[in-house]
Amino acid sequence: MTETKTSGNRSRETRIGVIGRPIDRIDGPLKVRGDATYAYETTLEGTAFGYILGAAVAKGRIAEIDTGEAERAPAVLLVMTHRNAPAQPDFGPAVTPTVPEVFTRARPALNSERVRYYDEPVALVVAETFEAARAAAGLIKVRYDEEPGLYDLPAHVADAYAPKRTNAGFETDSVIGDFESAFAAAPVKVDATYRTPFEHHNPMEPHATLAAWSGNELTIHTSAQTLANFRAGVASTLRIPPERVRIVSPFIGGGFGSKLIAHADTILAALAAQVLQRPVKIALTRQQMFANAGHRAEMIQQVRLSTDTDGRLTGIAHDVWSATSSFEEYCEQTAVFARSLYAAPNRVTRHRLIPLDINRGEWMRSPGEAPGMLAFECAMDELAERLGLDPIELRIRNEPVQDPERGVPFSTRNLVACMEEGARRFGWERRNPTPGRAREGRKLIGYGMAAAIRPNYIGAATARVAIDRDGRVTARLDMTDIGTGSYTILTQIAAESLGLPISSIKVELGDSRFPRTAGSGGSWGAASAGSALHNACNALKQRILEAAASSEASPLRGAGATDASFADGEVRLGQRSTSLADLIRRIAPDGFEAEGSVAAGAATQSYKAYSQHSYGAHFAEVAVDCDTGEIRMRRMLAVMGAGRILNAKTARSQIIGGMTWGIGAALMEQTVLDPRYGHFVNHDLAEYHVPTNGDVPEMEVVFLEEHDDKANPLGAKGLGELGVCGAGAAVANAIYNATGVRVREFPITLDKLLPALPVIAI
Amino acid sequence: MQSFTYERAASAEQAAAAVAAQPDAKFISGGTNLLDLMKLEIERPAHLVDISRLPLDRIEETAAGGLRVGAQVRNSDLAADPRVRSRYPMLTQALLAGASGQIRNKASTSGNLLQRTRCPYFYDRNMPCNKREQGSGCAALQGFNRTHAVLGASEACIAVHPSDMAVAMAGLDARIETISPGGETRTIPIGDLHRLPEATPHVETVLGHGEMIAAVTLPPPPPGRQVYRKVRDRASYAFALVSVAAIVEKSGDRIRSARIAMGGVAARPWRATEAERTLAGAVASDGAFTDAAEAALAGAVGHGGNDFKIPLAKRTMRHTLAAAVESA
Amino acid sequence: MAETDYRNGPTRRAVLEGGVATGVLLATSIPAYAEPAGAVSAAASAAPAPTMPMTLRINAKDLSVELDPRTTLLDALRNHLGLTGSKKGCDHGQCGACTVLVDGRRINSCLTLAAMHEGDEITTVEGLAVGDRLHPVQAAFVARDGFQCGYCTPGQICSAVGMLGEARAGWPSHASADVAAASVALTDAEIRERMSGNICRCAAYPNIVAAIRDAAEGA
Ligand SMILES: Cc1cc2nc3c(=O)[nH]c(=O)nc-3n(C[C@H](O)[C@H](O)[C@H](O)COP(=O)(O)OP(=O)(O)OC[C@H]3O[C@@H](n4cnc5c(N)ncnc54)[C@H](O)[C@@H]3O)c2cc1C
Ligand code: SF4
Ligand code: FES
Ligand code: FES
């Protein structure tokens, strides 16, 4: 391979030009051949198979449980219930003292006769085969003392409380100026209440674990986004030191936030493997994932906007009432983005929670922005119409010069450029501002747009990089690749930094024995792990140069220069250069190793001094069948300003994935919680609809060139979630433009559109 | 999935006898519905008789000018058969609107007819469901019943039959041929195959235990243009909210005859005979289509979540009839 | 079960997990507190589950195994034959991750029993490449970034291979305007519809369509 030979744009950072290039995924061949090994696919001698039985009621206690028949069933090795499960700590309070403890707290399973939510594990069967375990689980008889529970968010809004903080540690409320007076006095206003439903992550790979003990050391092969947290969580549940737990997760079949903490599969596999003294494998079934692996909570969102007659916002209020779990609080930061998006002198954002007897919500792709912008960016569309302004013009008029609530400058902010570029490319001028007017045959056509914003996070991370005598580089970190392309971009970063071809770099991820990173979550993986690796490579180069300058065997000895460079497989020092591999062979037959780190963003000066976000603009065209109300996408466009793009190919994939999640949220995704029984009614992939190939139209993604030098040494910002933010609102606004019907209850299914769709003559 | 014994049937007669011999025995054909339900222990057969390799996989011309479709003809083969495509296009359309390419490659003609409801409470063994467990109640009646029936339902059950294929077949007056354990055969009009729930929703068809479907016979294609229209929540791979199969025969600007069947509205493919009667002899017009749709849904009853199906079915029927007329 | 009221059904308090309405519980056998960790013994009788011998022809090799009759083709591949390329996403025919080719046709291996496939020619994702040479569909997926996490990918690829055969045979689809036409042009709309039985939650769909288009055109 000769990637390093072709150098494109020789700006300071893209000297060699490997970073940013749309190279194919490093792990691509493994994945298309079926050779990438996911958690359940690891095999160990003597592995037994577990199957979980979940509770038939949502609240109460187990009055009787008869496991006799299951224990006597063929090939059964163990039936574990709260009566015989190894002791674990109690679950503890609903709110942890600090944010990080959410991830590391004990999450006991089969620990009590209490049932806290529907389908909570009440028994585990382990058998020689999967078939035997599943069948035996069906033979367990349980009688419950059922207790009445709360399952109906709208019915209990009056009981809402204000949490101490939101997810990610944001303030629950923000108040600037006097919103109520400004709103009351404003000549133009919108007061709209939206509802967003329960949603489920549904990564294609179900949560799965193979646990094996060797002496008192536990190895967990699982599907995890952040290994360090997983490890801490498992260790606290089993009450063993984290050093005795190893988490291995080289390939993850999607997570979207549902694999940040250990779930029942992991805990129960570890316990059963301990009891049986043999490896145990457990996967949640797709159905079990709905109750046991997180969700996005149902919310009611009131958005109030007021402007002067020119469309300048005088007030912004975003109030959110969200469901939470009665035993573990989770408050999605739904209104937080509204603190940074548009200028207005008077502003309020508030989060309130209604506890229900359900499992906790978990971080679902773009927590906060995904549901929040779905509502808010529709309200902006409603406001634009009321003002008779183009929705893009309305947003431009309210572009802030600095972060409107924090009062600090933006590191970079290209929202206006994204909208203008998008409008040009999409043919936005063809949009008829009067809704319901564009028809093709019996289809109503509509255009919609929305803004996108997503904060740039950076988590603490360390990377270790080693070079051997043949010039082969190995980078190790406990980062994960959940489909985001970590293997590939980290390879590119190391290749560029060290001036070596891609083929000389090996990136090893997904093992908690490797240096700790923040893992994959909050779109911070690439920037955090990438910056750590970038720093590690710099440290490695420093070591090489020091040795090269001083070692007897070095051809660069005494070059006495300071302008060193690593390119095309060579090290250049002043006028002299030599092959890197040759140099290492001479001066360090055992090779070199170095580490590099980055600190968590929130702790850095730059983070305090600048408002750091990625931005974008989404555009959508829909067709609505005037007879049936069926909505089908025609095309979508996203223009993104997200810092430096590390790999144009995988970055685009992230964005189209996010846009598709926007389609899902706008049109079809919803889990129905039955208020009588407290269970998610449509708990499988036939009834919980995610977009299929047929639902996804032609998609165009454009990245505006941007380098955010405040964000991190790489200038890269998060991408994985940006594609979702606002995408659903663009779709919803297009539906309104097509039909003139504003549905404020998501998803916008045809039954909600139909009553207001006029009957058009045939 | 509880244990069962498995045998491959050697002949149709032997298969029927093998099932008849054991009260807990079942036929397994493509398995795409039965195994789905067995994994959830909604079905718990003790013995499976595999009929998937029986030589019932041919589509033959009948003397009357129709087609005889073997029970083992796969949904995809039936849809792709050139005779079906040209003479019964709405059957092809209905098949292709159902499930996915993979499932159609496995699903058999008989299995498709006999697939069970997708009611989510039926699918969850912790929920009351009269169909799954007689006398346990119907969780859907006052629950999440967005996908449920508006016609022919009872207080005991409001589930719908999920098949697309069967709706087109109902519109085509298909006849079901069966073979019984003793070797005797009978023919059942498709409209009589499925029973309405009444007080016994667990009894879904008129077939006896061990009675095996051997073939489906399609009468010669009726005159007129055929259209199958399925309305669903996403573009593909989703069950029908409602569907309409329509064949309209025109004579000048009048409708000579029409045949209409609806899916997603009842526990069986629903033949809209009142609508057919209103259309016969009427001038092909928006008004006539609207009247037909009103007639078809005259007796419809919603249960809250599925109220929208009544206007949706009417609107879908109106424009499907119009589409059938357009180039009739 | 006392009540048979159609509307309300039995009180849920009485619901038994086993689904056996007549099940009688042995109230005496329940200890009041948990046994200490480690004291749990393996279940009394670990009698093996009944199995049946079968020979499956997979990727042009005959493999003889003893399997529980309940074993699906997918679980046979993944749990017994070391062929973990085929994925389990839902186990109920709702996602397509388990797609394999049986006699050249794509099916969901989770909704069929291994025992039903004796004598069939089964091809899994592991059987598509020839040595180091990727199958054209596999190569196109890499080039077009037709995946992210990769979990749906083997199913997508097997499905695409089967689908291309169906299209070559002139099979129409729901996207075809005229189902009676003798041949189909494999437009993007056709590819989308024909590939809709394979869910990709990472949503690589536009790239999957591009990859299949390339492979179909022999690009
Ligand atoms: C995710 C998913 C989506 C789907 N979407 C759709 C859809 O949109 N539209 C649609 O129409 N269908 C849909 N289906 C259902 C599918 O069409 C059926 O599963 C299939 O047709 C059943 O056929 P089979 O041969 O596999 O039946 P099997 O599962 O083998 O059998 C079903 C039943 O019929 C009995 N049986 C089979 N053959 C005979 C016979 N010859 N005589 C007597 N009894 C017999 C069996 O004992 C069993 O009880 C979907 C299925 C899935 C899993
Ligand atoms: S509608 Fe029928 S299938 Fe559904 S819960 Fe009621 S009785 Fe059961
Ligand atoms: S695992 Fe077979 S279709 Fe999902
Ligand atoms: S690549 Fe992740 S589900 Fe398709």
Side-chain angles (χ1 to χ4, degrees), chain A residues 246 461-468 472-480 487 490-491 494 505-517 529 532-533 536-537 592-596:
Chain A
R246 178 182 173 201
T462 300
R464 188 182 308 133
V465 59
I467 186 163
D468 71 10
R472 283 188 307 245
V473 172
T474 307
R476 293 196 172 96
L477 46 174
D478 84 350
M479 178 60 189
T480 51
Y487 280 111
L490 293 173
T491 302
I505 314 288
K506 184 158 196 260
V507 172
E508 295 183 9
L509 306 177
D511 189 329
S512 63
R513 289 182 171 174
F514 300 155
R516 178 177 176 154
T517 69
L533 180 59
C537 290
F592 285 117
E593 197 174 272
E595 282 195 357

Side-chain angles (χ1 to χ4, degrees), chain C residues 74 87-91 93-98 108 110:
Chain C
L74 177 62
K87 305 302 181 201
K88 185 184 284 191
C90 69
D91 217 11
Q94 303 166 357
C95 78
C98 62
N108 297 322
C110 69

Side-chain angles (χ1 to χ4, degrees), chain A residues 31 38 202-205 252-256 482-483, chain C residues 146-153 156 198-205 208:
Chain A
K31 284 179 173 173
Y38 298 81
N202 276 312
M204 288 319 299
E205 181 203 17
I252 296 103
F256 314 111
I482 60 171
Chain C
F147 52 90
Q148 295 180 35
C149 76
Y151 198 76
C152 73
T153 313
Q156 300 275 2
N198 291 85
I199 306 277
C200 177
R201 188 55 159 161
C202 297
Y205 297 127
I208 291 169

